[in-house]
């Protein structure tokens, strides 16, 4: 895993020298702006989130594996109120597309709050994929939004899951 995320400076206010500088860069401005924004937001996340992510068995598995790691976020839960949900086959096809030139098995870190999405993804994924999951972020109820309202740590676990998802790494070239 990339330890850079765990060593971001954490100060009350980020100083210019600590941030990705995207101003005045010709071409590629959007990715640099995105990187600067993400760096700024994540530099203000409480250290306990990073400590919790590093202490998980999922992180240990990621750290010990040489396989490419693809992170997939399935937003089902209450998303149906806004739009028609994407079928799980679209997510599996996305991983296949990203890893189409990869020789050998891959690890897939699945982030979701919906237990149905976990079950559907595991059923649809090829056997050679190792599907990793941070269980604490997955709702045990049929309606994840209900768990978020009734569970005091759901936001914390979502952030831990995000930090773990950001450990994705491409296949070796």
């Amino acid at each position: 895993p990339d330890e850079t995320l765990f060593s971001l400076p954490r100060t009350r206010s980020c100083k210019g020298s600590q941030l990705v500088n995207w101003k005045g860069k010709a071409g590629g401005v959007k990715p640099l702006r995105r990187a600067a924004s993400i760096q700024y937001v994540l530099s203000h996340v409480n250290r306990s989130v990073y400590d919790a992510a590093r202490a998980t068995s999922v992180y240990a598995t990621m750290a010990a594996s040489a396989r490419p790691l693809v992170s997939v976020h399935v937003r089902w839960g209450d998303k149906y109120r806004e739009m028609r949900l994407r079928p799980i086959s679209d997510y599996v096809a996305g991983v296949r597309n990203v890893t189409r030139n990869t020789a050998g098995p891959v690890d897939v870190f699945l982030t979701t709050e919906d237990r149905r999405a976990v079950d559907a993804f595991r059923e649809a994924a090829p056997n050679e994929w190792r599907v990793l999951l941070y269980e604490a972020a997955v709702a045990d109820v049929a309606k994840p939004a209900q768990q978020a309202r009734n569970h005091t740590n759901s936001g914390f676990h979502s952030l831990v899951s995000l930090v773990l998802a950001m450990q994705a790494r491409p296949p070796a070239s």
Side-chain angles (χ1 to χ4, degrees):
D2 183 358
E3 291 291 321
T4 306
L5 183 62
F6 295 101
S7 60
L8 283 174
R10 280 171 184 73
T11 60
R12 288 186 169 259
S13 62
C14 283
K15 296 171 181 54
S17 63
Q18 297 170 331
L19 297 175
V20 173
N21 183 1
W22 60 270
K23 293 182 179 179
K25 305 287 186 196
V29 171
K30 189 174 183 178
L32 287 173
R33 186 178 307 147
R34 187 175 299 138
S37 300
I38 290 169
Q39 181 185 33
Y40 179 80
V41 169
L42 292 178
S43 69
H44 289 81
V45 171
N46 189 292
R47 168 60 63 194
S48 64
V49 172
Y50 296 97
D51 293 343
R54 192 181 272 145
T56 65
S57 62
V58 174
Y59 182 80
T61 300
M62 290 174 177
S65 179
R67 296 175 174 194
L69 174 64
V70 178
S71 292
V72 177
H73 177 73
V74 178
R75 172 95 191 272
W76 278 5
D78 61 351
K79 189 68 174 173
Y80 69 90
R81 294 178 185 166
E82 300 171 28
M83 61 181 280
R84 187 176 62 82
L85 299 179
R86 307 284 312 196
I88 208 69
S89 59
D90 287 0
Y91 295 93
V92 171
V95 173
R96 280 195 172 111
N97 184 45
V98 168
T99 61
R100 69 183 173 276
N101 297 322
T102 303
V106 298
D107 289 341
V108 179
F109 180 68
L110 181 63
T111 65
T112 185
E113 294 177 343
D114 193 320
R115 176 63 57 191
R116 296 169 305 144
V118 173
D119 296 342
F121 192 89
R122 283 187 167 151
E123 184 177 320
N127 291 336
E128 64 270 13
W129 292 359
R130 179 169 44 188
V131 179
L132 306 172
L133 182 71
Y134 176 58
E135 285 284 349
V138 181
D140 292 328
V141 295
K143 298 182 179 178
Q146 180 182 359
Q147 177 167 330
R149 284 190 300 275
N150 300 328
H151 194 276
T152 58
N153 291 328
S154 59
F156 177 82
H157 291 305
S158 292
L159 286 172
V160 170
S161 191
L162 171 64
V163 168
L164 290 167
M166 293 184 73
Q167 301 306 307
R169 61 183 169 267
S173 303

